[in-house]
Structure formats: C-alpha cells, structure tokens
Amino acid sequence: YRWRLGLAPGETRYNDIEARLATFPSIGVPTITMEGDANGAPHPEPAAYAKKFTGKYQFRLITGGIGHNLPQEAPQPFAQAIIDVAQL
C-alpha cells in the first residue's frame, strides 16, 4: 500500500507489468468482485470499473460490518465466490 500511495518506490522488476496494467486492459476471464459494506479504505464505486470486465462478471456487496479484509472478515462469502466463479 505504501507504493500505491506514493510513499515508497516500487519494485523495478515489475515496471513492464505496471506499464501494461496502467493502460487498464480489459479483463476477459470470469470474475466476481467483492466489497465489504464497512470498507473505510478509498475505493471506486463498482459501476466505475464494471465495464472493464468483458467476460462474465458479478459484483457482490458483503454486508454485516465487513471491512476490506474479506478473507478474514467474511470467509464464507469469500470462499463461496471462489466456488461460484467457476460456474459463471
């Protein structure tokens, strides 16, 4: 997160990958994105990035005071998304 916030240098060995990702390529594989309803971290609204997914796509809002660490805070919905993405 320090690199993302501009507080630390990145790993130069990843510069080529970073440059490709900076072009915001379309993502064509089946994808489920998830957000906790109590995530206090800065993040865009799902509608802002949904069109980047050209394959089958779902967004899931996980409720119940869930923050940004979904595997730890909501392990069951997180695991279910992993199972479900194979069925998209």
Side-chain angles (χ1 to χ4, degrees):
Y1 72 93
R2 292 180 53 79
W3 168 83
R4 181 174 56 88
L5 297 174
L7 301 174
E11 294 278 343
T12 57
R13 64 183 168 165
Y14 298 118
N15 285 352
D16 290 340
I17 294 171
E18 290 292 343
R20 287 186 5 224
L21 290 173
T23 67
F24 296 102
S26 297
I27 300 169
V29 297
T31 305
I32 297 173
T33 61
M34 304 169 71
E35 182 72 45
D37 65 345
N39 183 359
H43 59 280
E45 291 296 320
Y49 56 77
K51 291 183 181 177
K52 285 293 177 183
F53 298 96
T54 58
K56 294 181 180 180
Y57 172 74
Q58 289 182 7
F59 169 77
R60 297 182 182 179
L61 179 64
I62 309 304
T63 60
I66 305 302
H68 67 273
N69 188 353
L70 293 168
Q72 182 176 7
E73 298 177 52
Q76 188 62 40
F78 184 83
Q80 191 63 53
I82 293 169
I83 294 167
D84 293 346
V85 77
Q87 304 303 316
L88 288 182

